[in-house]
Amino acid sequence: MSVLVYTESENGKLKKAALEVASYAKAVADAIGGNVTAVSINSDNNDDLANYGVHKSLEVSDEKLQKFNADAYAEVITQAAKKVDAKVVVISQSANAKYLAPLLSVNLSAAYASNVVDVPKTDNEFTVERTAFTNKAFNHTSLSTDIKILGLSNNAFGLKENKVEMSKEDFSAELNDDHFKINVESVDKNTDKVSIADAEVVVSGGRGLKDPKNWGMIEDLADVLGAATACSKPVSDMGWRPHSEHVGQTGKPVASNLYIAIGISGAIQHLAGISASKTKVVINTDDEAPFFKAADYGIVGDAFEVVPKLIEKLKDFKANNA
Amino acid sequence: MKILVCISHVPDTTSKINFTENDTKFDTNGVQFVINPNDEFGLTRAMWFKEKQGATVDVVTVGDKSTEPTIRKALAIGADSAIRVDAEPVDGFQVAKELAKVAEDGDYDLIIAGRESIDYNGGMVPGMLAKLIGANFINTCVSLEIEGEKATAVREIDGGKETLTAHLPLVIGGQKGLVEESDLKIPNMRGIMMARKKPLKVVEPVAETPLTKAEKFEKPAPKGEVKLVDADNIDELIDLLHNEAKAI
């Protein structure tokens, strides 16, 4: 039995999420009995995967795959899964992984469970725990096909070191023009900013900021923490911030280690979007704001007084703990 | 251009979520159902193509009779006709199979679905549907233009955007950004009256077996009380985040 994990890279470097899905794949392999094989595309160095339980690294190096292409990437993973006779395929829940997963599912005639948060139970049937209703509930899902695809929620499992001997093998999939029917014309990436999906820490602002010109405070706090910036729905609706930063049920879900909400009252849709975050901090003048019921730590106070002080104190903390 | 918009019938975003029958079924008691928000952006974009480029727009849902008010709302917004596949949706694959049959029978140029429904958040139906019918697929679309046989779309990626081109037939997984929220259409009285006369065809399912099953639901454990820190004592917050939460 074999577990195949797709380990994503960016500019030739493995993403942190790749190490997390590898850690998870090792736990899945231990549960069902078997070893983990990783497949990576145009990653320069996969040595680190050995520290997270990967026994074999299938390494694809192909100029045609420099830009992400869902069809072609799904085909590569399909052929890798067939090569190692994978019973479980593990992917992350990045935007690209979510794009290719349903295609992979049809290619392999495999059931796909997305937003998985725990290792499968395999006593009678194969079941996984997933989030549902945008984190307002969990759903235990059984998968009935021979091959299963699991999409692991970001930060749900964490990094688990598990050093093993790893072998490497060049791998090339057979691809044809049909796999490249969609053309990527241009990519516009905010290279200097942490993306919400990859962020360990997210600093988010709401209507309490009063004016978009006050946003500098949010960015300064995010800079100190190496965090991504986000916002509530009204803020993106008013055009203060782009839609891509809107967190919530109809925006982006956040599963960071730390989520700091400033001037956000905490509507049910917003809380659903952030409930997978581990530690939540709220700063709000209104002590009746619903966010205080969802948060771990709170400060009742004026953001314009509290946040600048927090930035200064955090700078000192970082300097002393560097 | 023939457009099919896939509509999911979901609990309103403000709904409190509860379960019945020993936590195996979603409790619909007192819950208002709406068009899935991601589908609503797609439906409005389809209306734009209808008004500006002369497209026809059909809507489809997979569900029992209780879904009809939701799909009638799509007709009231301006869709030309509706199809309801008379089956209980069980998983993404089964829904995609049912939609694939409708899509193939209707020979559509463009199929718009939401990137995910806000109930099960599977995010699998649009991609599976595209693969099953051999159409091109672009996910997380925040902009879509069609000229002749060619589509230009902008897709949201982690930390940025990508511009892609593809030929029709095309399936997209759409979301907020396809149209502005302020442009979402609200049915007016004339639309509601006209919707009553528009065709709503009920079709039998192809009876595809689901590949997954939701066995049991549970709600997150109740959270402990928030620890309040005095606004003048930021050091305490930093100490808690560092030593207790291990978050910094």
Side-chain angles (χ1 to χ4, degrees):
Chain A
M1 295 249 257
S2 174
V3 175
L4 181 77
V5 58
Y6 167 49
T7 48
E8 289 167 271
S9 56
E10 196 165 308
N11 302 323
K13 275 187 71 180
L14 284 175
K15 294 174 78 170
K16 188 194 143 219
L19 304 180
E20 186 180 18
V21 285
S23 305
Y24 177 77
K26 171 66 175 156
V28 174
D30 288 346
I32 65 170
N35 284 335
V36 179
T37 302
V39 59
S40 59
I41 298 173
N42 293 328
S43 165
D44 297 338
N45 184 347
N46 294 318
D47 290 351
D48 209 14
L49 293 175
N51 295 325
Y52 295 90
V54 172
H55 277 83
K56 188 185 208 178
S57 167
L58 295 180
E59 305 184 345
V60 179
S61 178
D62 188 335
E63 192 57 37
K64 291 197 300 296
L65 300 171
Q66 280 302 340
K67 285 181 187 164
F68 174 78
N69 177 307
D71 248 324
Y73 274 48
E75 185 59 29
V76 169
I77 302 167
T78 300
Q79 292 183 26
K82 286 180 178 165
K83 176 185 164 72
V84 300
D85 192 22
K87 293 296 168 215
V88 178
V89 179
V90 175
I91 58 163
S92 80
Q93 294 287 257
S94 69
N96 287 351
K98 282 181 173 176
Y99 187 179
L100 67 82
L103 309 176
L104 180 63
S105 167
V106 175
N107 283 354
L108 289 170
S109 302
Y112 166 42
S114 54
N115 308 315
V116 171
V117 293
D118 207 352
V119 179
K121 293 196 171 47
T122 54
D123 15 350
N124 280 324
E125 47 190 0
F126 190 102
T127 58
V128 285
E129 186 176 353
R130 322 160 52 196
T131 57
F133 299 94
T134 322
N135 299 316
K136 289 180 193 167
F138 296 102
N139 164 1
H140 295 262
T141 299
S142 60
L143 292 82
S144 58
T145 47
D146 184 33
I147 305 172
K148 291 136 182 113
I149 302 170
L150 306 181
L152 178 70
S153 280
N154 293 347
N155 289 322
F157 191 74
L159 301 183
K160 306 264 158 67
E161 288 210 28
N162 212 325
K163 197 165 173 52
V164 294
E165 284 290 313
M166 183 176 83
S167 63
K168 293 181 180 182
E169 192 178 318
D170 289 337
F171 178 67
S172 61
E174 285 180 26
L175 300 169
N176 58 45
D177 290 348
D178 276 356
H179 299 119
F180 294 94
K181 286 197 294 188
I182 292 181
N183 300 307
V184 180
E185 305 290 341
S186 62
V187 181
D188 179 15
K189 204 141 185 192
N190 308 321
T191 44
D192 57 332
K193 283 186 77 175
V194 188
S195 81
I196 293 175
D198 295 328
E200 295 269 341
V201 182
V202 174
V203 177
S204 191
R207 248 187 309 208
L209 270 293
K210 294 184 179 157
D211 193 292
K213 69 175 190 275
N214 296 326
W215 209 262
M217 191 166 79
I218 299 289
E219 279 170 348
D220 289 347
L221 179 56
D223 275 350
V224 181
L225 289 164
T229 58
C231 69
S232 65
K233 184 171 182 293
V235 163
S236 83
D237 286 351
M238 289 185 290
W240 294 4
R241 301 299 298 169
H243 294 315
S244 57
E245 289 193 7
H246 159 202
V247 163
Q249 200 160 14
T250 54
K252 279 208 160 57
V254 174
S256 55
N257 283 329
L258 174 61
Y259 185 82
I260 303 181
I262 299 164
I264 299 176
S265 61
I268 188 169
Q269 299 96 324
H270 188 86
L271 296 180
I274 59 106
S275 64
S277 286
K278 290 198 171 62
T279 302
K280 299 156 204 122
V281 177
V282 58
I283 299 167
N284 203 304
T285 48
D286 176 11
D287 63 355
E288 297 286 319
F291 218 129
F292 283 106
K293 288 200 170 66
D296 300 284
Y297 305 108
I299 292 181
V300 180
D302 184 346
F304 297 101
E305 290 170 17
V306 173
V307 176
K309 275 196 262 177
L310 181 58
I311 291 168
E312 288 314 309
K313 296 277 186 188
L314 278 169
K315 278 182 184 166
D316 293 346
F317 171 81
K318 292 275 173 185
N320 294 330
N321 289 274
Chain B
M1 179 166 57
K2 276 189 80 177
I3 303 176
L4 180 68
V5 181
C6 306
I7 302 284
S8 195
H9 167 84
V10 297
D12 176 65
T13 56
T14 59
S15 301
K16 293 248 160 65
I17 303 298
N18 290 301
F19 302 100
T20 59
E21 297 182 37
N22 206 19
D23 291 330
T24 58
K25 290 264 187 291
F26 174 66
D27 184 359
T28 57
N29 197 21
V31 172
Q32 171 81 28
F33 280 82
V34 295
I35 297 174
N36 180 44
N38 290 312
D39 304 344
E40 205 176 354
F41 290 109
L43 177 63
T44 304
R45 190 65 191 158
M47 289 301 115
W48 187 92
F49 286 121
K50 179 180 168 172
E51 285 159 20
K52 307 284 186 196
Q53 297 184 198
T56 61
V57 178
D58 295 342
V59 289
V60 59
T61 197
V62 178
D64 64 19
K65 203 167 169 33
S66 70
T67 64
E68 287 193 4
T70 300
I71 203 158
R72 283 266 177 224
K73 185 180 169 196
L75 291 173
I77 284 170
D80 299 299
S81 74
I83 302 153
R84 174 169 72 81
V85 181
D86 191 19
E88 183 196 351
V90 178
D91 82 339
F93 176 77
Q94 169 231 8
V95 170
K97 272 277 191 183
E98 297 298 345
L99 294 175
K101 175 76 168 60
V102 172
E104 280 172 340
D105 288 351
D107 197 19
Y108 293 94
D109 304 296
L110 173 65
I111 301 174
I112 302 178
R115 69 150 202 244
E116 67 176 31
S117 63
I118 61 159
D119 47 8
Y120 295 100
N121 313 109
M124 53 188 80
V125 170
M128 287 178 173
L129 165 61
K131 194 77 189 176
L132 289 168
I133 63 173
N136 289 322
F137 171 53
I138 298 176
N139 205 17
T140 53
C141 260
V142 291
S143 161
L144 178 66
E145 306 287 343
I146 311 274
E147 252 187 78
E149 290 293 300
K150 189 181 165 195
T152 304
V154 177
R155 175 173 93 89
E156 201 169 276
I157 56 176
D158 292 335
K161 286 178 180 172
E162 242 177 34
T163 303
L164 309 102
T165 53
H167 279 90
L168 305 181
L170 173 70
V171 177
I172 68 153
Q175 62 177 59
K176 184 175 175 178
L178 260 185
V179 296
E180 290 302 317
E181 184 137 348
S182 54
D183 291 337
L184 286 177
K185 290 186 181 290
I186 298 164
N188 56 26
M189 190 47 75
R190 184 163 171 269
I192 294 166
M193 298 303 285
M194 283 175 67
R196 290 183 187 165
K197 294 180 190 156
K198 288 181 181 175
L200 192 163
K201 191 162 81 174
V202 179
V203 299
E204 287 302 307
V206 290
E208 194 62 39
T209 314
L211 307 182
T212 63
K213 187 176 172 221
E215 302 283 350
K216 197 173 173 68
F217 294 93
E218 61 183 288
K219 300 218 296 189
K223 232 195 60 56
E225 283 267 296
V226 62
K227 274 193 186 167
L228 287 179
V229 175
D230 194 278
D232 293 324
N233 195 0
I234 302 293
D235 287 327
E236 186 189 350
L237 178 66
I238 290 173
D239 182 62
L240 286 167
L241 289 176
H242 182 60
N243 292 315
E244 187 174 86
K246 316 272 185 220
I248 57 172

